[in-house]
Amino acid sequence: KEEPVSDALPPFYGTGVKMVGLDTCDAYRKQQKPHMRRWAPAGMFNTGTNTLLDLMHMNCQFPDRTGRHGFWQVPWGKHNPLSWRGGHWAPQFQGERRFRPDPLSILPVVVVKDPTTWMKSMCRNQYECRFRHRPSHRSAACPSPVKETQTTMRYQPTKPSFYDSLPHFWRAWNGEYLNSTAPRLLIRFEDLLWNSEETIRKVCTCVGGRPLRRFSQAHGVSKDARLGHVGPVNDRAKALRLYGSEAERFRHYTREDLEYVRDVAGASPLFRALGYDFDID
C-alpha cells in the first residue's frame, strides 16, 4: 500500500522558498516600461520549465491584460546556454518577418533541479544529451557510476558541447545564469512542486505582474509530445511521491557517486543556496 502523498516540502530540502536573483527584479522593472516587461522560462532538460509556464499563465496577470508579457521560451532557446543570448534565435523568432525582441528586455526565469534527481530524470529522458558509456548506465542503476558520465550535449546538430560528467554539465549550464550581471531569476523545481503559490507570486511580482487572488494548481502532465517531448513523464501526484522520498533520491547511488556530486556540483554556490547539499554518512 502506497503512503499518502504530502504537499509539504520534504525536510531534506530545508524550509521555505529558495531563489537567487530576487535582488535584480527592481532593476529589471526600472529598465523596462510596464508594457515592455516580458519574461520567459529557461532551464536544462527535465527541470520543469513547462510547469512554470503553465502556472504563470494561470496565476499571473499584467495591468494591460494583453497576454504579451510572456514567451514560452527565451529568444535564444530555453535549453541553450545563456552565452547564446543575442547570437542565436529559437525557431519561433527565425525568419525575415518574425518578431525579434531585444534579448536583454526579456527576464529569464531559470528552473533548477536537485542534481541527484535531475540525473535520474536524464536517464529516463536524455533528449540530445549523450552520457551512457557503461552497462549500468543502461539499467536501473543509471547514472552510476556518475564519474564516468562524460557528456556530449548537442544544443544544435552541428554544435556539440562536451562536459566531464553530468554534474559538470549541471554546474556549467546553471553557472552561466548564476554569474550573469543582467537581471535574471533562478528558482527551484522543488518549490514549483511543493511551494507553488508562493513561488509564482514572487516570480509574477518580480516581472511586474499581479498575482491572482485565487491560486490555480497544475495537476496534469505539462509536456507536450508535439514539442519533441518523449519518454515517461509525471503528473503532479506522481512527482510528489517520487521526489518526496529521500530513499528514492539516493537509490542506486554509491558513496563514491555522492562524494563526486558534492565535489563537482557542490563547487557551485547554487548547490547550497538552493538547499541541495546532503550528508553522506
Side-chain angles (χ1 to χ4, degrees), residues 149-175:
T149 56
Q150 293 81 11
T151 302
T152 300
M153 175 63 202
R154 292 189 180 276
Y155 298 105
Q156 296 293 312
T158 59
K159 294 182 179 180
S161 294
F162 305 98
Y163 305 91
D164 289 341
S165 68
L166 284 173
H168 283 92
F169 181 23
W170 184 94
R171 185 180 73 188
W173 197 98
N174 290 306

mmCIF file of all heavy atoms in Angstrom, residues 149-175:
data_model
loop_
_atom_site.group_PDB
_atom_site.id
_atom_site.type_symbol
_atom_site.label_atom_id
_atom_site.label_comp_id
_atom_site.label_asym_id
_atom_site.label_seq_id
_atom_site.Cartn_x
_atom_site.Cartn_y
_atom_site.Cartn_z
ATOM 1 N N THR A 149 30.203 9.528 -16.496
ATOM 2 C CA THR A 149 29.147 10.036 -17.386
ATOM 3 C C THR A 149 29.663 11.192 -18.241
ATOM 4 O O THR A 149 29.050 12.266 -18.290
ATOM 5 C CB THR A 149 27.912 10.498 -16.580
ATOM 6 O OG1 THR A 149 28.338 11.490 -15.604
ATOM 7 C CG2 THR A 149 27.246 9.339 -15.879
ATOM 8 N N GLN A 150 30.782 11.003 -18.901
ATOM 9 C CA GLN A 150 31.272 12.044 -19.806
ATOM 10 C C GLN A 150 30.144 12.394 -20.785
ATOM 11 O O GLN A 150 29.539 11.508 -21.389
ATOM 12 C CB GLN A 150 32.513 11.560 -20.569
ATOM 13 C CG GLN A 150 33.738 11.351 -19.700
ATOM 14 C CD GLN A 150 33.719 10.016 -18.969
ATOM 15 O OE1 GLN A 150 32.898 9.158 -19.269
ATOM 16 N NE2 GLN A 150 34.594 9.846 -17.991
ATOM 17 N N THR A 151 29.893 13.680 -20.933
ATOM 18 C CA THR A 151 28.656 14.126 -21.578
ATOM 19 C C THR A 151 28.899 14.916 -22.854
ATOM 20 O O THR A 151 29.723 15.838 -22.876
ATOM 21 C CB THR A 151 27.837 15.001 -20.597
ATOM 22 O OG1 THR A 151 27.562 14.230 -19.416
ATOM 23 C CG2 THR A 151 26.550 15.481 -21.220
ATOM 24 N N THR A 152 28.166 14.552 -23.886
ATOM 25 C CA THR A 152 28.122 15.332 -25.126
ATOM 26 C C THR A 152 26.702 15.870 -25.263
ATOM 27 O O THR A 152 25.739 15.108 -25.277
ATOM 28 C CB THR A 152 28.452 14.470 -26.359
ATOM 29 O OG1 THR A 152 29.771 13.928 -26.204
ATOM 30 C CG2 THR A 152 28.385 15.316 -27.627
ATOM 31 N N MET A 153 26.603 17.167 -25.349
ATOM 32 C CA MET A 153 25.295 17.814 -25.470
ATOM 33 C C MET A 153 25.227 18.553 -26.801
ATOM 34 O O MET A 153 26.031 19.442 -27.053
ATOM 35 C CB MET A 153 25.086 18.789 -24.303
ATOM 36 C CG MET A 153 23.813 19.591 -24.399
ATOM 37 S SD MET A 153 22.349 18.539 -24.325
ATOM 38 C CE MET A 153 21.158 19.609 -25.114
ATOM 39 N N ARG A 154 24.279 18.155 -27.649
ATOM 40 C CA ARG A 154 24.105 18.819 -28.944
ATOM 41 C C ARG A 154 22.939 19.797 -28.855
ATOM 42 O O ARG A 154 21.792 19.438 -29.077
ATOM 43 C CB ARG A 154 23.875 17.783 -30.046
ATOM 44 C CG ARG A 154 25.108 16.927 -30.328
ATOM 45 C CD ARG A 154 24.942 16.055 -31.561
ATOM 46 N NE ARG A 154 26.145 15.257 -31.796
ATOM 47 C CZ ARG A 154 27.227 15.702 -32.450
ATOM 48 N NH1 ARG A 154 27.227 16.919 -32.953
ATOM 49 N NH2 ARG A 154 28.279 14.925 -32.611
ATOM 50 N N TYR A 155 23.276 21.030 -28.496
ATOM 51 C CA TYR A 155 22.240 22.063 -28.457
ATOM 52 C C TYR A 155 21.667 22.278 -29.851
ATOM 53 O O TYR A 155 20.481 22.537 -30.028
ATOM 54 C CB TYR A 155 22.826 23.372 -27.927
ATOM 55 C CG TYR A 155 23.350 23.260 -26.514
ATOM 56 C CD1 TYR A 155 24.721 23.212 -26.248
ATOM 57 C CD2 TYR A 155 22.474 23.186 -25.442
ATOM 58 C CE1 TYR A 155 25.201 23.116 -24.953
ATOM 59 C CE2 TYR A 155 22.944 23.085 -24.140
ATOM 60 C CZ TYR A 155 24.309 23.052 -23.907
ATOM 61 O OH TYR A 155 24.788 22.947 -22.627
ATOM 62 N N GLN A 156 22.537 22.183 -30.842
ATOM 63 C CA GLN A 156 22.175 22.172 -32.248
ATOM 64 C C GLN A 156 22.930 21.006 -32.886
ATOM 65 O O GLN A 156 24.009 20.638 -32.416
ATOM 66 C CB GLN A 156 22.537 23.496 -32.929
ATOM 67 C CG GLN A 156 21.775 24.709 -32.402
ATOM 68 C CD GLN A 156 20.304 24.636 -32.722
ATOM 69 O OE1 GLN A 156 19.921 24.369 -33.856
ATOM 70 N NE2 GLN A 156 19.455 24.882 -31.729
ATOM 71 N N PRO A 157 22.403 20.410 -33.959
ATOM 72 C CA PRO A 157 23.054 19.231 -34.546
ATOM 73 C C PRO A 157 24.530 19.422 -34.857
ATOM 74 O O PRO A 157 25.315 18.475 -34.748
ATOM 75 C CB PRO A 157 22.241 18.991 -35.828
ATOM 76 C CG PRO A 157 20.889 19.547 -35.521
ATOM 77 C CD PRO A 157 21.142 20.748 -34.654
ATOM 78 N N THR A 158 24.902 20.633 -35.247
ATOM 79 C CA THR A 158 26.301 20.879 -35.625
ATOM 80 C C THR A 158 27.094 21.596 -34.537
ATOM 81 O O THR A 158 28.211 22.035 -34.781
ATOM 82 C CB THR A 158 26.359 21.709 -36.918
ATOM 83 O OG1 THR A 158 25.685 22.957 -36.706
ATOM 84 C CG2 THR A 158 25.694 20.957 -38.067
ATOM 85 N N LYS A 159 26.500 21.727 -33.337
ATOM 86 C CA LYS A 159 27.170 22.476 -32.274
ATOM 87 C C LYS A 159 27.224 21.655 -30.988
ATOM 88 O O LYS A 159 26.523 21.944 -30.016
ATOM 89 C CB LYS A 159 26.455 23.809 -32.011
ATOM 90 C CG LYS A 159 26.515 24.796 -33.159
ATOM 91 C CD LYS A 159 25.820 26.097 -32.785
ATOM 92 C CE LYS A 159 25.889 27.112 -33.912
ATOM 93 N NZ LYS A 159 25.210 28.379 -33.549
ATOM 94 N N PRO A 160 28.062 20.616 -30.957
ATOM 95 C CA PRO A 160 28.166 19.824 -29.725
ATOM 96 C C PRO A 160 28.999 20.542 -28.668
ATOM 97 O O PRO A 160 29.931 21.288 -28.976
ATOM 98 C CB PRO A 160 28.861 18.549 -30.201
ATOM 99 C CG PRO A 160 29.708 19.000 -31.349
ATOM 100 C CD PRO A 160 28.918 20.085 -32.033
ATOM 101 N N SER A 161 28.631 20.317 -27.421
ATOM 102 C CA SER A 161 29.425 20.792 -26.290
ATOM 103 C C SER A 161 29.778 19.586 -25.438
ATOM 104 O O SER A 161 29.015 18.620 -25.367
ATOM 105 C CB SER A 161 28.639 21.820 -25.472
ATOM 106 O OG SER A 161 28.412 22.995 -26.215
ATOM 107 N N PHE A 162 30.933 19.646 -24.793
ATOM 108 C CA PHE A 162 31.441 18.483 -24.071
ATOM 109 C C PHE A 162 31.681 18.833 -22.599
ATOM 110 O O PHE A 162 32.199 19.910 -22.288
ATOM 111 C CB PHE A 162 32.744 17.990 -24.718
ATOM 112 C CG PHE A 162 32.602 17.701 -26.194
ATOM 113 C CD1 PHE A 162 32.996 18.637 -27.139
ATOM 114 C CD2 PHE A 162 32.060 16.498 -26.630
ATOM 115 C CE1 PHE A 162 32.862 18.389 -28.495
ATOM 116 C CE2 PHE A 162 31.920 16.234 -27.991
ATOM 117 C CZ PHE A 162 32.316 17.179 -28.920
ATOM 118 N N TYR A 163 31.300 17.915 -21.733
ATOM 119 C CA TYR A 163 31.436 18.107 -20.289
ATOM 120 C C TYR A 163 32.039 16.843 -19.681
ATOM 121 O O TYR A 163 31.789 15.730 -20.150
ATOM 122 C CB TYR A 163 30.077 18.398 -19.652
ATOM 123 C CG TYR A 163 29.359 19.572 -20.278
ATOM 124 C CD1 TYR A 163 28.479 19.379 -21.350
ATOM 125 C CD2 TYR A 163 29.558 20.874 -19.825
ATOM 126 C CE1 TYR A 163 27.828 20.447 -21.949
ATOM 127 C CE2 TYR A 163 28.904 21.945 -20.410
ATOM 128 C CZ TYR A 163 28.041 21.730 -21.476
ATOM 129 O OH TYR A 163 27.394 22.786 -22.062
ATOM 130 N N ASP A 164 32.803 16.997 -18.614
ATOM 131 C CA ASP A 164 33.484 15.868 -17.998
ATOM 132 C C ASP A 164 32.510 14.861 -17.387
ATOM 133 O O ASP A 164 32.850 13.679 -17.231
ATOM 134 C CB ASP A 164 34.456 16.350 -16.922
ATOM 135 C CG ASP A 164 35.665 17.049 -17.514
ATOM 136 O OD1 ASP A 164 35.937 16.858 -18.720
ATOM 137 O OD2 ASP A 164 36.349 17.786 -16.772
ATOM 138 N N SER A 165 31.315 15.310 -17.021
ATOM 139 C CA SER A 165 30.314 14.424 -16.421
ATOM 140 C C SER A 165 28.992 15.174 -16.349
ATOM 141 O O SER A 165 28.928 16.379 -16.619
ATOM 142 C CB SER A 165 30.744 14.002 -15.008
ATOM 143 O OG SER A 165 30.713 15.129 -14.137
ATOM 144 N N LEU A 166 27.944 14.474 -15.955
ATOM 145 C CA LEU A 166 26.650 15.136 -15.772
ATOM 146 C C LEU A 166 26.709 16.229 -14.694
ATOM 147 O O LEU A 166 26.151 17.311 -14.891
ATOM 148 C CB LEU A 166 25.575 14.102 -15.426
ATOM 149 C CG LEU A 166 25.055 13.248 -16.592
ATOM 150 C CD1 LEU A 166 24.118 12.159 -16.061
ATOM 151 C CD2 LEU A 166 24.334 14.096 -17.631
ATOM 152 N N PRO A 167 27.361 15.992 -13.541
ATOM 153 C CA PRO A 167 27.458 17.089 -12.571
ATOM 154 C C PRO A 167 28.224 18.303 -13.113
ATOM 155 O O PRO A 167 27.887 19.446 -12.779
ATOM 156 C CB PRO A 167 28.199 16.449 -11.390
ATOM 157 C CG PRO A 167 27.841 15.006 -11.473
ATOM 158 C CD PRO A 167 27.807 14.714 -12.948
ATOM 159 N N HIS A 168 29.239 18.073 -13.945
ATOM 160 C CA HIS A 168 29.934 19.203 -14.577
ATOM 161 C C HIS A 168 28.984 19.962 -15.498
ATOM 162 O O HIS A 168 29.018 21.201 -15.556
ATOM 163 C CB HIS A 168 31.141 18.705 -15.378
ATOM 164 C CG HIS A 168 32.332 18.351 -14.543
ATOM 165 N ND1 HIS A 168 32.542 17.082 -14.074
ATOM 166 C CD2 HIS A 168 33.383 19.108 -14.103
ATOM 167 C CE1 HIS A 168 33.675 17.050 -13.379
ATOM 168 N NE2 HIS A 168 34.204 18.262 -13.389
ATOM 169 N N PHE A 169 28.167 19.224 -16.233
ATOM 170 C CA PHE A 169 27.163 19.830 -17.114
ATOM 171 C C PHE A 169 26.199 20.694 -16.297
ATOM 172 O O PHE A 169 25.934 21.851 -16.634
ATOM 173 C CB PHE A 169 26.431 18.701 -17.843
ATOM 174 C CG PHE A 169 25.374 19.125 -18.827
ATOM 175 C CD1 PHE A 169 25.370 20.384 -19.408
ATOM 176 C CD2 PHE A 169 24.368 18.217 -19.190
ATOM 177 C CE1 PHE A 169 24.381 20.757 -20.323
ATOM 178 C CE2 PHE A 169 23.385 18.568 -20.102
ATOM 179 C CZ PHE A 169 23.386 19.847 -20.654
ATOM 180 N N TRP A 170 25.681 20.146 -15.198
ATOM 181 C CA TRP A 170 24.756 20.874 -14.321
ATOM 182 C C TRP A 170 25.394 22.154 -13.801
ATOM 183 O O TRP A 170 24.780 23.229 -13.827
ATOM 184 C CB TRP A 170 24.363 19.957 -13.156
ATOM 185 C CG TRP A 170 23.335 20.503 -12.208
ATOM 186 C CD1 TRP A 170 21.989 20.314 -12.259
ATOM 187 C CD2 TRP A 170 23.571 21.304 -11.042
ATOM 188 N NE1 TRP A 170 21.369 20.957 -11.200
ATOM 189 C CE2 TRP A 170 22.322 21.575 -10.440
ATOM 190 C CE3 TRP A 170 24.729 21.836 -10.448
ATOM 191 C CZ2 TRP A 170 22.190 22.334 -9.277
ATOM 192 C CZ3 TRP A 170 24.598 22.607 -9.294
ATOM 193 C CH2 TRP A 170 23.348 22.839 -8.721
ATOM 194 N N ARG A 171 26.628 22.046 -13.342
ATOM 195 C CA ARG A 171 27.315 23.213 -12.767
ATOM 196 C C ARG A 171 27.589 24.277 -13.814
ATOM 197 O O ARG A 171 27.364 25.474 -13.573
ATOM 198 C CB ARG A 171 28.632 22.766 -12.119
ATOM 199 C CG ARG A 171 29.368 23.879 -11.387
ATOM 200 C CD ARG A 171 30.648 23.353 -10.776
ATOM 201 N NE ARG A 171 31.679 23.103 -11.781
ATOM 202 C CZ ARG A 171 32.834 22.489 -11.531
ATOM 203 N NH1 ARG A 171 33.091 22.041 -10.301
ATOM 204 N NH2 ARG A 171 33.717 22.309 -12.481
ATOM 205 N N ALA A 172 28.057 23.874 -14.984
ATOM 206 C CA ALA A 172 28.419 24.835 -16.027
ATOM 207 C C ALA A 172 27.188 25.540 -16.595
ATOM 208 O O ALA A 172 27.186 26.765 -16.770
ATOM 209 C CB ALA A 172 29.188 24.129 -17.144
ATOM 210 N N TRP A 173 26.150 24.760 -16.913
ATOM 211 C CA TRP A 173 24.961 25.353 -17.545
ATOM 212 C C TRP A 173 24.290 26.351 -16.603
ATOM 213 O O TRP A 173 24.027 27.495 -16.979
ATOM 214 C CB TRP A 173 23.976 24.260 -17.944
ATOM 215 C CG TRP A 173 22.948 24.722 -18.939
ATOM 216 C CD1 TRP A 173 22.966 24.548 -20.286
ATOM 217 C CD2 TRP A 173 21.741 25.449 -18.645
ATOM 218 N NE1 TRP A 173 21.854 25.132 -20.864
ATOM 219 C CE2 TRP A 173 21.084 25.694 -19.873
ATOM 220 C CE3 TRP A 173 21.169 25.930 -17.482
ATOM 221 C CZ2 TRP A 173 19.882 26.390 -19.960
ATOM 222 C CZ3 TRP A 173 19.965 26.635 -17.555
ATOM 223 C CH2 TRP A 173 19.335 26.857 -18.782
ATOM 224 N N ASN A 174 24.024 25.945 -15.373
ATOM 225 C CA ASN A 174 23.384 26.846 -14.419
ATOM 226 C C ASN A 174 24.309 27.976 -14.000
ATOM 227 O O ASN A 174 23.855 29.081 -13.665
ATOM 228 C CB ASN A 174 22.922 26.063 -13.184
ATOM 229 C CG ASN A 174 21.760 25.136 -13.479
ATOM 230 O OD1 ASN A 174 20.728 25.567 -14.001
ATOM 231 N ND2 ASN A 174 21.908 23.858 -13.160
ATOM 232 N N GLY A 175 25.615 27.710 -14.047
ATOM 233 C CA GLY A 175 26.581 28.719 -13.638
ATOM 234 C C GLY A 175 26.562 29.955 -14.509
ATOM 235 O O GLY A 175 26.841 31.066 -14.035
#
